[in-house]
Amino acid sequence: MTKGYWKKSIGLLTGVLVLSSVLAGCGNSSESSTGSGSTAGTSETVIYDWQNADSYVYKMSEQLAKEYNERKDAKTTMKVQHIPGTDRYYPKLNAELAANAGPDVFVSHAAGKLKTYADSGRIMDLTEILNADPEWKNSFTSGAFNLLTFDNKVYAIPTAFATVPLFYNKEIFAKYNLTPPTTYEELKNVIKVLKDNGVTPFAFGAKESWTSALFSEMVANRIGGDEPFNKLMEGTGTWMDPSYIQTGNVMNELRDMGAFPSGFLGLDNTAITNMFKNGEAAMFVMGSWAVGSVEAADSKVQGKIGIAKFPTFEGGKGDLNTWLGQPSYNLVIRANTKNKDAALEYIKAWTSNDIQTKLAEENGDIPAVNVKLDKNKVPAVAQDLQKEMSDMKGMFIFYDVGLGAKIGDEYNTTIQAILAGQSPEEAFQSLEQFTQDNKE
């Protein structure tokens, strides 16, 4: 790895858009022992992320810190603390920020979650920094800061984007003469054929509520279009909208058809990723951050994965070319850090031409800046995703990001409850009451 990405003058970044990301680093790895960040001063710059030890981004962050620390002009020691799993990451981070302490740099989701930190005054407004470096600012892809900006102030720097396709096993589909479904009726036919031949249709689990919620958000958008969720984000919508009740019914119909594996309520993200990776299921609705795992050297479906858009519903208001996604891996600087210069250098390193190219070509990520990529080096499945997204008409955000943790996480557990047997009407009525009780 060259060290050119640590230069303070980043240079002009040009090029193309390609694929994936690393949203939910959920796993069982132990925390790094590099320090808590609560005592970070001029001698130590602490960075928090949610990565597992086997992720590409984990290794990249360690490498960046190591190479900074080896510099003769380093004025601080960079230490990365990994806190795998957002259910562990955010509580630790929030407690420290509430005490006006914490890491110098940390990773955050966009929209509602980031806005909470911006409103608290605990994170740095980066607008003037970006305006003072137009070459850097202009290197980002169009709309990169849309979900990171509040009251015309930018509070985070994106390093990658995530979107949600329908992954499918080309080998299994070919064996049973199946084509990727474009409508719900076609999907149900695919599921029937697969079930009749003893094949698990979807790698799907609900032990971690976000994985089943992600699937349901695609269903909800295809049924109701953008308007019901947009109104909820504006504070004028309702969870009793018919599209959400129908979404709950569809999730139950799929469950009852046997679209999901036996014991799916006990399967977490790692388990379902491995299920698809091992060729044990024909389809997988998951974020593009899964590309690196399913195309890894030990994957039994490497080179056999197809990309499709999530199907539409008869009478539905959603469009086949609307995608679920967001800037997924965003770096934030704590407002009262004593190491602003080092923190900024770390962030700029992530958005350098060299690192952004590596993220795309070696991990299949969707880069945040315009970079020119060697298509021969980008994973084929990532290139296929780019082709499918080429006629994208719009994008909507993950609910637990757009609505913020409290209400967004309650939506996730609502879907979990429906799949466990609660009626959609009762579940969404409870969510509606919760939302009304917790409105700001």
Side-chain angles (χ1 to χ4, degrees):
M1 226 182 248
T2 61
K3 300 184 181 181
Y5 38 76
W6 275 118
K7 294 178 181 177
K8 293 185 180 180
S9 175
I10 295 297
L12 182 63
L13 310 176
T14 57
V16 178
L17 177 65
V18 184
L19 311 154
S20 171
S21 201
V22 198
L23 187 95
C26 301
N28 300 314
S29 300
S30 60
E31 270 180 41
S32 166
S33 59
T34 51
S36 69
S38 59
T39 59
T42 54
S43 63
E44 187 175 281
T45 299
V46 176
I47 298 122
Y48 278 9
D49 70 27
W50 53 56
Q51 294 302 310
N52 294 305
D54 60 351
S55 83
Y56 186 89
V57 174
Y58 178 109
K59 297 177 178 69
M60 182 67 76
S61 61
E62 289 289 334
Q63 184 70 17
L64 288 175
K66 177 177 180 290
E67 293 187 2
Y68 177 89
N69 293 336
E70 290 174 350
R71 281 173 31 178
K72 292 181 180 180
D73 63 341
K75 296 178 181 178
T76 178
T77 300
M78 281 192 181
K79 293 188 177 181
V80 184
Q81 182 165 336
H82 309 284
I83 308 165
T86 53
D87 56 337
R88 296 173 59 217
Y89 176 82
Y90 278 117
K92 179 177 176 62
L93 173 66
N94 294 345
E96 293 186 4
L97 292 177
N100 208 27
D104 299 276
V105 178
F106 64 89
V107 179
S108 174
H109 289 98
K113 288 198 175 181
L114 180 64
K115 188 175 187 298
T116 301
Y117 299 125
D119 290 346
S120 73
R122 293 291 195 269
I123 61 176
M124 190 177 294
D125 173 7
L126 304 172
T127 312
E128 290 186 9
I129 294 172
L130 280 162
N131 289 340
D133 191 346
E135 189 173 63
W136 184 40
K137 181 180 179 180
N138 294 333
S139 70
F140 290 90
T141 58
S142 176
F145 298 106
N146 287 358
L147 296 170
L148 308 174
T149 301
F150 312 103
D151 296 326
N152 297 314
K153 297 177 180 178
V154 179
Y155 286 96
I157 302 299
T159 65
F161 290 85
T163 191
V164 178
L166 190 160
F167 296 95
Y168 68 95
N169 186 314
K170 291 181 179 179
E171 196 170 64
I172 292 175
F173 268 57
K175 183 175 181 179
Y176 300 109
N177 297 313
L178 297 170
T179 56
T182 59
T183 68
Y184 184 52
E185 290 305 313
E186 290 176 3
L187 174 62
K188 288 195 288 186
N189 180 65
V190 167
I191 290 168
K192 183 179 185 306
V193 171
L194 292 169
K195 286 293 294 178
D196 288 348
N197 286 280
V199 179
T200 300
F202 281 102
F204 178 92
K207 182 177 182 179
E208 293 172 284
S209 59
W210 68 267
T211 59
S212 52
L214 176 151
F215 190 111
S216 75
E217 289 160 22
M218 295 298 305
V219 174
N221 184 266
R222 294 298 190 256
I223 293 172
D226 293 336
E227 186 176 1
F229 183 63
N230 287 345
K231 284 186 174 180
L232 282 163
M233 288 207 294
E234 293 164 0
T236 61
T238 174
W239 292 111
M240 298 310 293
D241 186 282
S243 65
Y244 288 114
I245 306 303
Q246 187 178 347
T247 294
N249 289 330
V250 166
M251 297 301 291
N252 282 342
E253 182 177 27
L254 290 170
R255 176 199 62 199
D256 295 343
M257 286 182 67
F260 307 143
S262 175
F264 71 88
L265 289 170
L267 299 178
D268 63 12
N269 179 54
T270 300
I272 61 178
T273 300
N274 286 337
M275 179 178 289
F276 185 73
K277 180 178 176 177
N278 292 330
E280 298 168 358
M283 294 176 286
F284 189 30
V285 175
M286 185 48 65
S288 49
W289 57 81
V291 169
S293 296
V294 299
E295 281 288 338
D298 63 341
S299 173
K300 294 180 181 178
V301 296
Q302 186 183 40
K304 303 174 184 177
I305 301 170
I307 294 289
K309 300 164 184 174
F310 197 87
T312 57
F313 284 72
E314 184 177 357
K317 298 178 181 178
D319 193 286
L320 190 69
N321 292 309
T322 297
W323 292 76
L324 173 59
Q326 63 166 8
S328 60
Y329 201 74
N330 311 296
L331 294 171
V332 181
I333 300 178
R334 183 164 52 94
N336 60 349
T337 178
K338 296 178 182 178
N339 299 304
K340 177 180 175 181
D341 290 345
L344 189 58
E345 283 198 60
Y346 180 78
I347 289 177
K348 282 193 173 185
W350 275 103
T351 61
S352 70
N353 187 51
D354 187 34
I355 298 305
Q356 288 282 298
T357 299
K358 287 178 183 295
L359 288 170
E361 293 182 350
E362 297 178 12
N363 199 47
D365 285 356
I366 303 173
V369 304
N370 294 306
V371 289
K372 189 172 184 178
L373 302 170
D374 183 344
K375 290 187 177 181
N376 294 322
K377 294 181 179 179
V378 176
V381 67
Q383 293 186 48
D384 290 344
L385 178 54
Q386 182 185 20
K387 292 175 184 175
E388 291 294 328
M389 293 180 70
S390 63
D391 50 3
M392 180 175 70
K393 291 183 179 178
M395 182 173 280
F396 65 103
I397 196 168
F398 299 95
Y399 285 15
D400 56 0
V401 175
L403 296 170
K406 183 175 287 187
I407 295 172
D409 289 352
E410 191 68 15
Y411 172 83
N412 294 355
T413 57
T414 296
I415 297 301
Q416 196 178 43
I418 290 171
L419 289 166
Q422 189 175 19
S423 75
E425 292 83 0
E426 182 182 346
F428 278 112
Q429 182 59 62
S430 296
L431 177 58
E432 176 68 16
Q433 188 61 55
F434 181 90
T435 300
Q436 295 300 323
D437 293 344
N438 289 277
K439 276 187 175 180
E440 292 182 358

